[in-house]
Amino acid sequence: MHHQQKAFDPKSGVVESSLRSHPVYKALWMPMIDTADLVAERYGISREKQARRPPAFDEYSLISQQRTAEAQKKGLFDDEIVPLPTKMLVKDKETGKVFRSFAILRRVSEQDYVVTKDECNRSDTTLEGLASLKPVNLDKNPKATVTAGCVVCCSCRA
């Protein structure tokens, strides 16, 4: 009798490694930014088209930044965000480097910090600034089109 191996164990959350490399299922682990670049490539949506076609991605990103800034200013999200105490790494301002595991070397210090709002919003965002951004994945994909101006901040994974 053939015994089928589980691809995913819900109790441990472990995914069988062969599933991650399976030609069909490996896309399940593709980061959203890679997915967006893939969709743009498949449908022929260049960075230039994204900037021209109404509503252009940069325009939409700007409106989103402005709305978020206004809502934060009015305190509209205050009841939805639970303050989260954490440690903040402070980088060496001379070198710009962050040595996460070498705080002992005094190049980096940790400070207590409380996150009280979504800090990804840039209230000073401009359309010109967004248009000047280069695609994030350009180093690994010459056809990449998605910029940091139209992606969700990494902290949303927290």
Side-chain angles (χ1 to χ4, degrees):
M1 183 170 155
H2 178 67
H3 182 269
Q4 186 176 7
Q5 188 176 7
K6 283 185 180 178
F8 174 72
D9 180 4
K11 288 183 182 178
S12 68
V14 173
V15 177
E16 181 187 326
S17 61
S18 66
L19 188 61
R20 289 185 185 264
S21 60
H22 188 279
V24 173
Y25 300 114
K26 69 180 181 181
L28 294 173
W29 284 271
M30 180 184 284
M32 288 305 296
I33 192 165
D34 293 344
T35 304
D37 277 330
L38 180 64
V39 168
E41 184 178 340
R42 281 186 182 167
Y43 292 94
I45 305 170
S46 66
R47 175 78 179 116
E48 293 74 29
K49 267 189 189 175
Q50 291 174 28
R52 286 194 317 259
R53 182 174 275 170
F57 290 166
D58 290 345
E59 288 175 13
Y60 184 77
S61 295
L62 177 62
I63 291 166
S64 178
Q65 293 284 346
Q66 291 170 336
R67 287 178 178 167
T68 301
E70 187 64 26
Q72 285 177 330
K73 191 175 175 181
K74 292 179 179 177
L76 298 179
F77 299 132
D78 292 354
D79 291 340
E80 297 179 24
I81 297 179
V82 177
L84 177 68
T86 188
K87 297 280 186 189
M88 178 174 64
L89 293 176
V90 180
K91 69 180 175 181
D92 183 332
K93 292 186 183 203
E94 290 177 25
T95 66
K97 292 184 179 179
V98 174
F99 298 92
R100 294 180 190 274
S101 59
F102 301 117
I104 297 169
L105 299 177
R106 300 279 184 238
R107 294 186 184 186
V108 165
S109 63
E110 283 188 353
Q111 291 181 351
D112 289 327
Y113 185 73
V114 179
V115 179
T116 58
K117 66 177 187 167
D118 181 346
E119 297 179 346
C120 298
N121 185 55
R122 304 270 193 264
S123 60
D124 59 346
T125 300
T126 64
L127 198 53
E128 296 77 21
L130 289 167
S132 72
L133 295 173
K134 302 290 181 230
V136 175
N137 284 334
L138 204 53
D139 59 330
K140 70 178 185 179
N141 177 1
K143 295 181 180 179
T145 62
V146 180
T147 70
C150 60
V151 297
V152 178
C153 176
C154 291
S155 69
C156 68
R157 297 180 198 151

